[in-house]
């Protein structure tokens, strides 16, 4: 296949028109091979002049239609990262349209770079290549783009899906090469990993490169960044992919607000609490015992019995007590004050138990809509179940009051406008039970992270 001077001139014209050649030519220490840069520029042919004029007309506006690739306008002057740059505070600046060389020392090495967006909704285009000895082997890294606060906006596997190296004049043996045509430099950039992220706001953005496990360990790579315009005109509010609870939100008055279709993340905690039980006086109860019967002396008990207790409903008392002087039924039993076993303490005691979180959230609805609540919708939860209570107008209306397990969801209607409260608390074990020794409720253990999603459908319920 023959590469014409006409197309070659167009590529050269594009580079000149974009001002890239004039900018990078000042770096005399670097060897830059530009498309169309060889040959005798003092003797341009007629075809070259025609191609140059044509390039000015169409290649600047439509470079892709001319077959212009990134290597036609980006130099490889040998710029590099400066170690250590393992944190965003030590990030290297990436000058646009220049390739930087970097390396991953080990699987824990993370290299940081930064670029600047001058206005909202600009495209960040990242080109990623492998080692200089094996450019097209880009697999083995994870490339992440973050905002100025370190929030991850996008993450990419560095493996490319490119079709192969750039095809140049004379690549194949059967190519007919005109000696008067310049031989274009062959570069591997069509097989680079190309990453495009639209940046919502103006300001600084960070790019990090880290080994994917140990695949990028002790390997070099090349990275370049470009900024271009996008057609996105919508504003980008200061928001995030999810929201989090803010402690302390253990009461209804401190409830965290919910937004529709935004995942809420939180953590259930517990703390050990103790309380002092003061000394208590002994307690007595009225029992009926055989007269002259001593509970500590078996010889005073009626024959066949091992207790002094008698039943006053029996008339006569059965069995009679031959050890008493009065064998009449009316006198066989008498009321006696008896100490209740286990009561009465001389000193107080300390008791310990877990106090679990009760997390509260609120959602304001315009009313007459269906709501969808899903537990653990965006990650795993370590607990078996949690108690969910949804109320409206301070317990006047209870919409949900029961257990919910990870993966479960509830759909319900919010008829009236106003604030709906959501409470998450430990689920009582098989119903509300009280430990007789401590006096506290027995509940499921509830600790660790959780998440849920509330979706406002804005669709009216049709129950009526």
């Amino acid at each position: 296949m023959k590469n014409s001077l006409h197309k070659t001139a167009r590529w050269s014209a594009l580079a000149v028109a974009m001002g890239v050649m004039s900018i990078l030519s000042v770096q005399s220490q670097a060897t830059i091979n530009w498309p169309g840069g060889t040959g005798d520029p003092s003797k341009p042919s007629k075809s070259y002049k025609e191609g140059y004029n044509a390039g000015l007309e169409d290649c600047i506006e439509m470079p892709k239609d001319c077959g212009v690739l990134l290597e036609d306008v980006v130099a490889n002057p040998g710029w590099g990262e400066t170690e250590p740059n393992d944190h965003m505070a030590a990030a290297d600046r990436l000058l646009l349209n220049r390739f930087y060389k970097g390396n991953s020392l080990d699987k824990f090495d993370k290299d940081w770079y930064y670029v600047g967006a001058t206005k909202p909704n600009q495209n960040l285009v990242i080109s990623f290549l492998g080692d200089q000895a094996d450019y097209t082997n880009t697999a083995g890294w994870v490339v992440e783009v973050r905002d100025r606060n370190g929030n991850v906006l996008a993450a990419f596997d560095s493996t490319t899906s490119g079709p192969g190296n750039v095809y140049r004049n004379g690549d194949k043996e059967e190519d007919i090469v005109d000696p008067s045509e310049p031989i274009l430099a062959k570069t591997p950039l069509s097989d680079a990993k190309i990453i495009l992220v639209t940046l919502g706001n103006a300001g600084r953005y960070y790019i990090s490169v880290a080994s994917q496990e140990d695949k990028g360990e002790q390997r070099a790579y090349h990275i370049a960044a470009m900024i271009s315009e996008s057609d996105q005109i919508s504003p980008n509010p200061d928001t995030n992919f999810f929201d989090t609870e803010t402690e302390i939100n253990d009461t209804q008055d401190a409830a965290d607000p919910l937004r529709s279709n935004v995942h809420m993340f939180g953590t259930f905690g517990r703390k050990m609490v103790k309380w002092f039980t003061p000394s208590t006086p002994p307690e007595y109860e009225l029992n009926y015992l055989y007269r002259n019967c001593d509970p500590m002396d078996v010889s005073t008990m009626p024959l066949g019995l091992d207790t002094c207790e008698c039943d006053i409903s029996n008339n006569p008392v059965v069995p009679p007590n031959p050890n008493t002087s009065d064998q009449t039924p009316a006198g066989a039993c008498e009321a006696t004050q008896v100490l209740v076993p286990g009561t009465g303490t001389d000193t107080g005691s300390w008791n310990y138990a877990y106090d679990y979180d009760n997390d509260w959230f609120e959602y304001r609805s315009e009313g007459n809509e269906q709501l969808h609540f899903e537990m653990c919708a965006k990650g795993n939860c370590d607990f078996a179940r949690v108690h969910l209570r949804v109320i409206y107008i301070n317990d006047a209306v209870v919409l949900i009051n029961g257990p919910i397990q990870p993966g479960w969801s509830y759909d319900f209607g919010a008829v009236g406008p106003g604030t709906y409260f959501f409470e998450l608390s430990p689920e009582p074990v098989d119903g509300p039970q009280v430990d007789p020794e401590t006096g506290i409720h027995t509940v499921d253990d509830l600790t660790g992270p959780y998440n849920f999603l509330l979706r406002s459908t804005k669709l009216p319920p049709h129950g009526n």
Side-chain angles (χ1 to χ4, degrees):
M1 179 178 179
K2 187 176 180 181
N3 193 355
S4 69
L5 284 174
H6 189 84
K7 182 177 291 186
T8 299
R10 289 190 177 190
W11 290 344
S12 300
L14 178 63
V16 173
M18 293 182 68
V20 179
M21 293 183 68
S22 60
I23 295 173
L24 297 179
S25 61
V26 298
Q27 302 171 41
S28 58
Q29 73 276 16
T31 302
I32 304 175
N33 294 320
W34 291 100
T38 60
D40 187 358
S42 64
K43 296 180 180 180
S45 65
K46 181 179 180 180
S47 298
Y48 187 93
K49 293 179 180 179
E50 293 176 354
Y52 182 89
N53 294 330
L56 289 178
E57 295 175 0
D58 55 16
C59 286
I60 295 177
E61 296 181 359
M62 296 178 293
K64 291 183 179 180
D65 293 343
C66 295
V68 177
L69 302 171
L70 184 63
E71 61 270 27
D72 298 319
V73 293
V74 178
N76 185 8
W79 294 47
E81 62 159 334
T82 56
E83 289 285 7
N85 61 340
D86 290 16
H87 190 272
M88 61 187 302
D92 287 324
R93 179 185 178 186
L94 281 185
L95 294 178
L96 301 178
N97 307 331
R98 292 159 173 80
F99 266 97
Y100 283 71
K101 293 183 175 70
N103 74 87
S104 297
L105 176 63
D106 53 36
K107 61 182 179 181
F108 304 107
D109 186 16
K110 176 177 283 190
D111 299 331
W112 288 77
Y113 308 91
Y114 72 89
V115 295
T118 57
K119 56 184 179 180
N121 298 326
Q122 288 185 312
N123 286 332
L124 169 62
V125 183
I126 303 171
S127 295
F128 191 86
L129 290 170
D131 192 357
Q132 191 167 356
D134 193 7
Y135 279 120
T136 58
N137 184 12
T138 66
W141 289 271
V142 175
V143 181
E144 295 178 337
V145 178
R146 302 170 184 258
D147 65 12
R148 64 183 181 274
N149 298 315
N151 298 308
V152 178
L153 303 181
F156 301 89
D157 187 308
S158 63
T159 305
T160 182
S161 57
N165 289 348
V166 176
Y167 182 79
R168 298 300 192 188
N169 181 24
D171 282 352
K172 298 180 180 179
E173 294 182 357
E174 60 270 22
D175 286 352
I176 300 176
V177 180
D178 188 338
S180 63
E181 292 185 1
I183 303 298
L184 300 179
K186 180 179 178 180
T187 60
L189 287 178
S190 64
D191 207 26
K193 174 68 175 184
I194 306 299
I195 298 169
L196 190 148
V197 181
T198 301
L199 309 175
N201 299 306
R204 179 173 292 188
Y205 289 86
Y206 292 87
I207 304 168
S208 65
V209 179
S211 174
Q212 190 177 47
E213 297 179 347
D214 57 353
K215 297 178 183 178
E217 186 176 356
Q218 297 183 359
R219 291 177 58 195
Y221 62 86
H222 292 75
I223 187 170
M226 299 178 64
I227 296 290
S228 64
E229 301 302 322
S230 75
D231 294 329
Q232 179 62 266
I233 59 175
S234 61
N236 191 265
D238 187 12
T239 185
N240 210 330
F241 304 108
F242 57 88
D243 206 349
T244 59
E245 65 157 337
T246 57
E247 291 287 2
I248 304 170
N249 62 337
D250 295 353
T251 62
Q252 183 174 336
D253 293 337
D256 286 320
L258 297 177
R259 288 185 298 162
S260 173
N261 212 38
V262 176
H263 293 274
M264 175 64 72
F265 284 78
T267 302
F268 289 123
R270 67 181 184 184
K271 60 183 178 180
M272 183 72 75
V273 295
K274 66 178 182 178
W275 66 93
F276 182 74
T277 302
S279 59
T280 57
E283 297 179 8
Y284 294 89
E285 61 183 359
L286 185 66
N287 286 345
Y288 290 92
L289 305 178
Y290 286 103
R291 182 181 300 173
N292 299 326
C293 183
D294 184 357
M296 304 302 296
D297 186 358
V298 68
S299 64
T300 64
M301 299 178 184
L303 296 175
L305 298 181
D306 57 359
T307 178
C308 290
E309 296 181 2
C310 64
D311 186 355
I312 62 172
S313 64
N314 292 328
N315 190 12
V317 175
V318 178
N321 187 359
N323 298 315
T324 62
S325 58
D326 188 353
Q327 298 296 317
T328 62
C333 291
E334 60 183 358
T336 306
Q337 290 285 346
V338 179
L339 177 68
V340 177
T343 63
T345 58
D346 295 332
T347 60
S349 61
W350 286 99
N351 295 291
Y352 299 86
Y354 283 119
D355 181 27
Y356 292 91
D357 264 350
N358 281 39
D359 291 343
W360 284 82
F361 304 90
E362 63 179 7
Y363 173 74
R364 183 160 187 85
S365 173
E366 297 177 358
N368 194 34
E369 67 166 328
Q370 300 178 46
L371 298 178
H372 173 84
F373 184 96
E374 186 175 353
M375 197 71 205
C376 305
K378 199 177 175 62
N380 295 328
C381 298
D382 294 334
F383 51 84
R385 59 180 181 173
V386 63
H387 192 86
L388 171 65
R389 189 162 69 103
V390 182
I391 61 175
Y392 176 58
I393 315 181
N394 297 332
D395 277 340
V397 178
V398 179
L399 287 82
I400 297 175
N401 190 21
I404 183 171
Q405 297 182 13
W408 284 15
S409 62
Y410 283 106
D411 292 280
F412 54 96
V415 177
T419 303
Y420 290 77
F421 290 95
F422 297 73
E423 181 191 16
L424 296 174
S425 61
E427 178 68 24
V429 177
D430 298 327
Q433 297 180 353
V434 177
D435 189 318
E437 295 183 0
T438 63
I440 63 173
H441 286 276
T442 305
V443 297
D444 285 349
D445 184 60
L446 188 65
T447 57
Y450 66 90
N451 65 89
F452 65 86
L453 174 70
L454 176 67
R455 178 176 294 115
S456 169
T457 66
K458 300 301 181 183
L459 299 175
H462 299 285
N464 296 329

